[in-house]
Amino acid sequence: MGAILPRERLIVAIAGLLDGVRHVAVGASSPIPAAGAMLLRALAERDGKPRVRISILGSREHNFFTNGSAELFDCAGQGRIDAFFLGGGQIDGEANINLVGTGDYPRNPVRWPGSFGSAYLYFVVPRVILFREEHTPRVFVEKVDFVSAPGTSEAGVYRPGGPHALLTSLALFSFDKERRRFRLESVHPGHSIAEVTAATGFTFDHDEAVPATPDPDPATLALLRGRVLTELEETYPQFARQMAAELRGSAAA
């Protein structure tokens, strides 16, 4: 089967974080979250569990919306989306995200695409998974320069949605909404707590011994490398081709 690729481990971790959801929505530029959602759907069908609906913005095959983001927002506001993914140029220890830029607004020396609907979706989608492959102090900061979407709200604010977990190329964190802090749940194989700490600009909780993120079993890996990779090619052809090439290289090594 070849060695497990780091991105395969992320995809499997995402499927685990989505366990139990009915409807997952994924942004247009999120191949790894989309693959995780597709893997969840494939596992649910294999195991006879309830059907999982996936809505990928920008996809013709995996998107039942006909009016883009407007329908996404309506669906989320009605409580019909269970999980969504958000990232950010900066993410801090209270799960605030920054999608605007660094420095003082509005004269940011570095500008990013903008907040779009992040604040709204962060408030109404029950299981928001923060995902960012890059795990460096410039991304995971003590305090974001601009709050595009707040991780928590004051008492009395109606907010059914919010951060559920944070997944990066180094580790998996859960989020405690009461304490407003992340907790390190596992470290990916080949990395250490010390490495995660050095790459993170905010403090987080963890046990003295943190487990390694588990490897997928052979049956799950086969689903990922077969059905899921094929489905992924429709929306993310370049990413799917890159994954396939990495798998061939891994098998040949």
Side-chain angles (χ1 to χ4, degrees):
M1 291 289 286
I4 298 170
L5 303 178
R7 284 182 168 178
E8 288 183 311
R9 193 170 282 109
L10 296 179
I11 292 168
V12 173
I14 286 171
L17 292 170
L18 293 172
D19 187 39
V21 306
R22 302 161 302 160
H23 185 185
V24 185
V26 184
S29 303
S30 304
I32 293 176
M38 290 173 179
L39 178 59
L40 174 74
R41 180 173 61 187
L43 290 169
E45 290 180 10
R46 183 196 69 182
D47 299 338
K49 294 182 178 180
R51 177 174 175 264
V52 176
R53 170 175 281 178
I54 303 173
S55 299
I56 304 175
L57 295 181
S59 170
R60 292 187 176 182
E61 184 176 347
H62 307 286
N63 183 13
F64 72 93
F65 297 133
T66 58
N67 191 24
S69 57
E71 287 177 289
L72 167 67
F73 296 154
D74 285 346
C75 203
Q78 294 163 11
R80 296 193 290 131
I81 293 178
D82 303 309
F84 190 69
F85 300 87
L86 287 175
Q90 292 179 331
I91 300 173
D92 68 24
E94 293 190 2
N96 300 311
I97 64 173
N98 176 6
L99 291 160
V100 171
T102 61
D104 295 328
Y105 181 83
R107 298 189 178 185
N108 306 85
V110 174
R111 290 299 298 263
W112 297 315
S115 304
F116 193 48
S118 59
Y120 174 74
L121 293 171
Y122 216 8
F123 270 69
V124 298
V125 178
R127 195 180 304 190
V128 176
I129 297 169
L130 301 177
F131 176 72
R132 183 69 197 261
E133 272 196 276
E134 180 185 341
H135 193 140
T136 63
R138 75 170 185 170
V139 174
F140 297 102
V141 297
E142 183 177 3
K143 184 175 177 60
V144 295
D145 292 347
F146 183 92
V147 179
S148 293
T152 60
S153 300
E154 298 303 322
V157 175
Y158 177 70
R159 182 173 183 172
H164 175 69
L166 166 65
L167 180 65
T168 77
S169 60
L170 298 183
L172 170 64
F173 300 81
S174 61
F175 186 72
D176 187 326
K177 295 180 183 179
E178 296 298 324
R179 302 187 65 227
R180 302 188 177 198
R181 286 177 65 86
F182 284 104
R183 179 178 181 82
L184 181 63
E185 297 293 343
S186 69
V187 177
H188 305 331
H191 302 286
S192 66
I193 298 176
E195 183 181 357
V196 174
T197 301
T200 309
F202 55 79
T203 59
F204 51 85
D205 299 324
H206 63 84
D207 293 335
E208 184 175 350
V210 178
T213 305
D215 287 338
D217 60 71
T220 300
L221 203 58
L223 266 180
L224 172 53
R225 294 176 176 181
R227 170 180 167 172
V228 172
L229 199 59
T230 299
E231 291 179 346
L232 200 65
E233 191 170 4
E234 182 268 341
T235 309
Y236 303 103
Q238 184 175 353
F239 180 86
R241 287 194 294 268
Q242 182 184 25
M243 282 278 292
E246 290 177 5
L247 287 170
R248 288 193 297 270
S250 174

